[in-house]
Amino acid sequence: MGYAPSALALVPFVSVENMMRIVHAVGIERFLAALAGYIEEDFRRWELFDKTPRVATHSREGVIELMPTSDGESYGFKYVNGHPKNTKEGRQTVTAFGVMAEVDTGYPVLITEMTILTALRTAAMSALAAKFLAPEGARSMAIIGNGAQSEFQAVAFRSLVGIDRLSLYDIDRTASERCAKNLAGRGFDIAVCASPEAAVEGADIVTTVTADKQYATILTDNMVGPGIHINAAGGDCPGKTELHRDILLRSSIFVEYPPQTRVEGEIQQLEKDHEVTELWQVITGKAAGRAGRDQITLFDSVGFAVEDFSALRYMRDLIRTTPYFDELDLLADPDDPRDLFGMLMRAAALPA
Ligand code: NAD
């Protein structure tokens, strides 16, 4: 007889192929709006989460990170890397997978690809922040850095904020052209620009989402006029930033989780006690968001574990209504829970 784990021990697994099926079954704009809803719900109950800065292992070429959190009922973590040189070798800068488990038993209840899901959750998070911080009636956005994350950002800002004019800039023009092509037919008026200055000219929102392992200066102070919202998503590691320090000094800065952002975000360039506002406080009405027309708001996004938890929670709920997952034989399941060794020995009789 073969080994037959019980249903309790089978873990739903969402592959890349099934993730793509699920996104299409829901529709990408609806998916992003629903995911932003899950993130907003979790930011509203921020205080009950068990929070810690992510655990990062740095190397010369990149970083590998583990991002855990728990709301007391469920536990989630994401494995994610960031290797800007990867695209030159046909690999992606960022890849990820994640696990959700129940706290009560410790048993995983979901394992999923999170490369696509991270792009979706980062975009949903950025657009959610912009809903609270961007100037009223914002229609136009510049995107500097037109790699893997860029189209997701554009679609999320259309879905949640109403952005319909895009100006794109990348040091590699073919990246901007691919981005524009991928977004064709989605209701955007798109300009591919020859310089970052041209891209940000007249934009209500500027998204920076470049990948470079250095203190880069994607935006200089003279490029940032009053009243805009900056969504700085690409600087997310020690020694990896995108904005000139002078911009930070003129901006009202909003962050996810200060102990992580002070090490990884744009604000690593500032004094440790420089005033920042936690986004969850804006979402819950405990702190003000945009206060005036001329204010420069900056979402110093690095990506925090609670957002991945929300994404895992959304997937766990979604797969209950779709057939798009497999069941993994991931957890050993002896008939007598204490007879793990006996189960292993009996397996000698399994057909090779
Ligand atoms: P990617 O490598 O696919 O794309 C990056 C793009 O930036 C490339 O097209 C590159 O040519 C361009 N670029 C590099 N330097 C530039 C410059 N000086 N000016 C203009 N363009 C420039 O990377 P990706 O997957 O799109 O990720 C982009 C960044 O976002 C990475 O740094 C990644 O770590 C970060 N990220 C952040 C979060 C978050 O939650 N904040 C989540 C995921 C990824």
Side-chain angles (χ1 to χ4, degrees):
M1 227 174 55
Y3 168 68
S6 71
L8 283 180
L10 291 173
V11 181
F13 166 62
V14 180
S15 63
V16 173
E17 191 175 336
N18 276 328
M19 180 63 73
M20 295 194 288
R21 286 199 181 102
I22 291 171
V23 174
H24 283 294
V26 175
I28 188 163
E29 288 206 22
R30 267 187 62 212
F31 188 107
L32 284 160
L35 178 50
Y38 272 68
I39 296 173
E40 184 169 343
E41 251 173 50
D42 287 338
F43 271 55
R44 286 186 186 280
R45 55 194 194 112
W46 184 261
E47 283 159 297
L48 65 79
F49 279 91
D50 190 5
K51 295 179 286 294
T52 175
R54 58 186 158 200
V55 181
T57 301
H58 296 278
S59 62
R60 204 163 49 88
E61 305 294 4
V63 64
I64 294 176
E65 296 164 329
L66 288 177
M67 303 172 68
T69 191
S70 169
D71 67 355
E73 271 182 34
S74 301
Y75 170 93
F77 78 84
K78 179 168 86 172
Y79 167 102
V80 62
N81 77 299
H83 286 71
K85 56 104 197 171
N86 271 6
T87 53
K88 293 190 193 74
E89 301 158 2
R91 295 187 174 94
Q92 292 191 94
T93 298
V94 176
T95 65
F97 67 89
V99 172
M100 178 157 265
E102 46 177 43
V103 168
D104 196 30
T105 61
Y107 267 38
V109 293
L110 174 69
I111 175 164
T112 177
E113 88 79 42
M114 285 190 84
T115 304
I116 296 170
L117 194 56
T118 291
L120 290 159
R121 83 85 159 108
T122 303
M125 181 70 243
S126 288
L128 176 65
K131 249 179 56 172
F132 288 88
L133 301 175
E136 215 181 305
R139 300 278 303 273
S140 59
M141 178 161 84
I143 308 182
I144 317 285
N146 304 146
Q149 312 295 320
S150 59
E151 297 95 335
F152 294 88
Q153 291 279 335
V155 177
F157 274 78
R158 180 171 171 80
S159 171
L160 277 102
V161 184
I163 292 300
D164 58 9
R165 289 199 297 273
L166 293 175
S167 44
L168 308 177
Y169 173 74
D170 194 292
I171 40 171
D172 176 357
R173 193 178 170 90
T174 63
S176 305
E177 282 162 359
R178 187 219 63 249
C179 180
K181 192 162 157 239
N182 279 342
L183 292 172
R186 291 197 169 273
F188 290 109
D189 179 357
I190 304 178
V192 171
C193 300
S195 70
E197 287 81 1
V200 304
E201 178 77 42
D204 301 314
I205 299 176
V206 176
T207 288
T208 55
V209 64
T210 64
D212 202 348
K213 211 169 162 28
Q214 61 163 330
Y215 292 109
T217 309
I218 307 304
L219 294 183
T220 52
D221 195 30
N222 61 323
M223 289 160 74
V224 175
I228 70 162
H229 174 63
I230 305 172
N231 167 42
D236 58 359
C237 267
K240 177 167 172 266
T241 56
E242 293 182 304
L243 309 185
H244 191 283
R245 185 172 182 275
D246 289 349
I247 299 172
L248 309 183
L249 298 174
R250 288 166 59 213
S251 304
S252 302
I253 303 174
F254 299 83
V255 303
E256 292 140 313
Y257 181 57
Q260 183 178 309
T261 313
R262 292 212 188 265
V263 179
E264 300 183 350
E266 297 301 322
I267 58 170
Q268 66 186 275
Q269 304 179 67
L270 301 178
E271 300 302 319
K272 289 282 166 256
D273 58 355
H274 188 95
E275 189 188 335
V276 297
T277 305
E278 295 185 50
L279 200 57
W280 72 271
Q281 297 198 317
V282 177
I283 291 175
T284 54
K286 287 184 162 55
R290 170 167 289 273
R293 274 170 64 97
D294 287 346
Q295 184 185 22
I296 299 167
T297 50
L298 164 62
F299 175 39
D300 187 0
S301 155
V302 291
F304 185 59
V306 170
E307 295 143 39
D308 297 304
F309 181 94
S310 312
L312 288 164
R313 200 164 66 74
Y314 179 42
M315 287 313 296
R316 187 196 57 195
D317 291 351
L318 253 187
I319 59 169
R320 292 189 180 129
T321 64
T322 84
Y324 302 133
F325 64 93
D326 300 300
E327 290 193 310
L328 281 191
D329 174 16
L330 187 71
L331 309 174
D333 189 35
D335 293 336
D336 170 353
R338 287 169 298 182
D339 192 21
L340 187 63
F341 187 80
M343 182 186 84
L344 173 63
M345 288 305 113
R346 286 191 292 281
L350 288 179

